[in-house]
Amino acid sequence: MKTIEHCAACPHNCGAKRNLLEGDGFCQMGVMPKVARVGPHYWEEPCISGSKGSGAIFFSGCTLKCVFCQNYEISANHVGVHITPDQLANCYRNLEKQGVHNINLVSASHYIDAVVESFKIYKPKIPVLYNTSGYESVESLRRLDGYIDIYLPDFKYSDNRLAMKYSGAYNYSLVTLRAIKEMVRQTGKITYDENGIIQKGTIVRLLVLPNHTKDAKAILDTIKYNFGNKILVSIMSQYTPMGEAYKYPEINRKITEKEYDEVVDHAIDLDMDGFVQELSAADEEFVPNFDSVSSDYFNYDSTH
Ligand code: SF4
């Protein structure tokens, strides 16, 4: 793997030097992927997890610093182990052999070089999902064209002041809209197999924050205006104050049923297609366990 002298992999464009294991950029990560969990994951939208699970690979580190991050252990504390692009390709092979519906790359944007290299080694036969904060550069996304079948971006904020305050990205809203346009260009409209499992398309996730329904509704307006019903929207109720959310009283609680209904009603008024969640999803039990990652996934035995 090559080290990077001036990193521009994500919209921070911070020009950082990144060696194999560490970097001095906003994300602080080196170029060698660090993974915190590999395995079937059953808590995505039903058309993704299906009955056999989604083959998730959770990458450590992040290009945002969300104070409320629901995966704080890996995004901020950087738990995980370093693997090579070869080993990443072996994760695809092993997950595929387990019978999952798809390969699901969770927060891989800062490892774009290694991800592209892994696909050159092995392109999975099942659909590949790219699960992202939405804060992506169009140039990096273009390098994934032809490898990714389904994009699963968040759209976290309409108001950039909130993006700066809670995630450290002053230009999040416009950057994310541009990124989603590129994702939709690549995937086209939503298609499913005969069992209702998604094969192609873009699903935008919106995590409703307490006291911020106005911003959530503005995001829905933006999505509808730009994409009509070509993409799906997944309105998530699972916000749980984690990480440093306790420092921000206005977001230091779960959302109420009234807040969630207000956002869902707006999506219904806009005649949008997608998914809603039970409020009971707002529980730390739904946060995956990042205690250890099985190294069995990193080697592939082609004789079985
Ligand atoms: S990937 Fe990391 S080092 Fe590279 S531009 Fe983004 S934040 Fe900076």
Side-chain angles (χ1 to χ4, degrees):
M1 287 209 61
K2 286 194 190 130
T3 58
I4 298 177
E5 286 303 313
H6 303 283
C7 187
C10 85
H12 284 296
N13 200 6
C14 48
K17 186 174 166 64
R18 296 173 68 192
N19 64 28
L20 280 187
L21 304 184
E22 51 194 25
D24 59 10
F26 183 91
C27 67
Q28 299 173 299
M29 304 311 285
V31 292
M32 197 169 173
K34 198 173 189 187
V35 297
R37 187 174 184 279
V38 181
H41 189 59
Y42 296 93
W43 298 276
E44 308 288 25
E45 287 73 2
C47 67
I48 295 172
S49 288
S51 57
K52 302 186 220 161
S54 176
I57 302 168
F58 287 85
F59 291 87
S60 190
C62 188
T63 56
L64 293 181
K65 290 195 195 308
C66 301
V67 296
F68 51 79
C69 182
Q70 309 290 287
N71 291 334
Y72 207 76
E73 267 304 289
I74 56 173
S75 66
N77 294 342
H78 304 164
V79 299
V81 295
H82 286 103
I83 60 172
T84 63
D86 263 315
Q87 291 173 314
L88 184 54
N90 284 341
C91 291
Y92 307 156
R93 291 182 174 109
N94 283 311
L95 286 165
E96 203 168 64
K97 202 161 86 175
Q98 273 187 285
V100 295
H101 294 293
N102 41 60
I103 301 296
N104 184 352
L105 306 182
V106 186
S107 292
S109 13
H110 42 302
Y111 300 121
I112 177 87
D113 289 356
V115 167
V116 170
E117 210 174 317
S118 70
F119 287 136
K120 287 181 181 159
I121 297 165
Y122 182 68
K123 166 84 173 80
K125 296 180 188 71
I126 53 179
V128 179
L129 252 114
Y130 195 75
N131 191 333
T132 158
S133 67
Y135 194 61
E136 299 281 352
S137 83
V138 171
E139 293 73 22
S140 287
L141 289 173
R142 288 204 176 125
R143 296 180 60 198
L144 296 170
D145 197 358
Y147 294 123
I148 304 298
D149 304 285
I150 301 145
Y151 281 102
L152 193 57
D154 295 337
F155 205 143
K156 294 174 183 290
Y157 313 101
S158 171
D159 184 339
N160 280 324
R161 288 170 298 185
L162 297 178
M164 189 60 211
K165 181 177 181 186
Y166 298 136
S167 296
Y170 72 94
N171 55 357
Y172 177 89
S173 182
L174 189 57
V175 162
T176 297
L177 179 59
R178 279 196 198 122
I180 296 175
K181 283 182 178 171
E182 171 60 21
M183 296 175 196
V184 176
R185 185 195 71 73
Q186 289 182 24
T187 64
K189 65 181 175 60
I190 306 276
T191 59
Y192 302 95
D193 70 4
E194 61 284 5
N195 299 314
I197 302 296
I198 190 166
Q199 303 295 299
K200 262 198 168 300
T202 299
I203 302 175
V204 175
R205 282 179 164 172
L206 196 176
L207 179 67
V208 181
L209 299 180
N211 285 310
H212 289 92
T213 54
K214 191 174 159 213
D215 197 67
K217 289 191 285 185
I219 294 169
L220 290 174
D221 290 339
T222 301
I223 295 171
K224 179 71 183 188
Y225 178 80
N226 285 280
F227 306 107
N229 289 50
K230 200 172 179 186
I231 64 177
L232 300 176
V233 63
S234 179
I235 305 176
M236 309 183 84
S237 63
Q238 70 193 57
Y239 177 84
T240 306
M242 297 182 82
E244 297 186 353
Y246 68 92
K247 294 180 182 169
Y248 302 82
E250 71 279 13
I251 57 166
N252 194 25
R253 64 164 170 81
K254 292 177 182 177
I255 61 166
T256 64
E257 197 171 342
K258 184 168 175 291
E259 286 172 322
Y260 189 64
D261 288 349
E262 187 184 330
V263 178
V264 170
D265 286 347
H266 193 67
I268 292 169
D269 288 345
L270 291 171
D271 191 26
M272 299 178 88
D273 297 327
F275 307 91
V276 293
Q277 257 183 339
E278 297 292 325
L279 261 193
S280 58
D283 198 306
E284 286 182 40
E285 271 178 36
F286 285 83
V287 177
N289 184 348
F290 299 117
D291 278 354
S292 65
V293 50
S294 167
S295 57
D296 291 352
Y297 284 102
F298 306 153
N299 303 306
Y300 185 69
D301 181 356
S302 59
T303 58
H304 293 100

